[in-house]
Amino acid sequence: MKQLRALLCCALPLVLATPASFAEPVGEVDTAFKLIGPDHKIVVEAYDDPKVSGVTCYVSRAKTGGVSGALGLAEDKAEASIACRQVGPVRVTQPLPKREEVYSERLSILFKRLRVVRMVDAPRNTLVYLTYSDLLIDGSPKNSVTAVPIDRATPIPLK
């Protein structure tokens, strides 16, 4: 028990010090009424790819309500969906690695994270985005993928 308490005391400041994500809320719908605390809901968030201007990804995911959700202690489900779209002229601001995590958000107080990874399909000049969640020990196979084809006149520079 002392070891768990020591782990929580050491890890909690690191979790709370994590910078805020750059996702912007788009909207939400309630899925279950909770008498005390916020309702369970599905949230939709948008974020712009930090290295590819003109591409925005929309991620929908479950958000647990109730007292534990209000206190930030709830563990959200490991299910999410993603759709990325060209929303303006595409410009790659710097050469991209073949695979890179572009977004990460915690789903539980310590160990579960929602991740979005960008992959470059160079032969097709396409950006592929994958969302999934992971745990410290065991992740979830539930995932979602989307692709944004880029005009061949704008080749994607690779690292």
Side-chain angles (χ1 to χ4, degrees):
M1 189 65 169
K2 286 185 179 182
Q3 291 173 339
L4 179 61
R5 199 172 304 155
L7 175 67
L8 288 174
C9 289
C10 293
L12 192 57
L14 294 174
V15 170
L16 296 177
T18 301
S21 64
F22 51 91
E24 297 176 34
V26 173
E28 61 187 43
V29 295
D30 290 347
T31 59
F33 173 76
K34 300 302 285 181
L35 187 59
I36 300 175
D39 293 342
H40 295 316
K41 57 187 76 179
I42 296 172
V43 297
V44 177
E45 298 166 323
Y47 69 94
D48 299 323
D49 188 319
K51 292 184 180 175
V52 183
S53 65
V55 174
T56 299
C57 292
Y58 299 90
V59 176
S60 68
R61 62 181 181 83
K63 189 166 177 124
T64 304
V67 174
S68 61
L71 296 175
L73 302 173
E75 184 170 316
D76 293 334
K77 296 198 180 289
E79 300 167 1
S81 182
I82 187 168
C84 298
R85 299 293 184 262
Q86 180 179 344
V87 295
V90 174
R91 276 195 342 259
V92 180
T93 58
Q94 56 190 281
L96 302 176
K98 189 90 170 124
R99 177 186 174 270
E100 179 179 26
E101 183 174 286
V102 293
Y103 175 73
S104 178
E105 181 177 341
R106 75 177 180 86
L107 297 179
S108 71
I109 189 131
L110 289 178
F111 304 116
K112 188 188 275 186
R113 297 195 74 77
L114 174 72
R115 300 185 184 277
V116 175
V117 175
R118 178 196 336 99
M119 299 175 203
V120 179
D121 181 0
R124 292 166 193 81
N125 210 48
T126 299
L127 299 173
V128 179
Y129 295 85
L130 170 73
T131 186
Y132 67 98
S133 69
D134 65 0
L135 290 167
L136 184 63
I137 306 296
D138 187 24
S140 170
K142 295 178 181 175
N143 62 81
S144 182
V145 68
T146 187
V148 179
I150 307 300
D151 184 17
R152 293 236 179 242
T154 309
I156 302 169
L158 291 174
K159 276 187 179 178

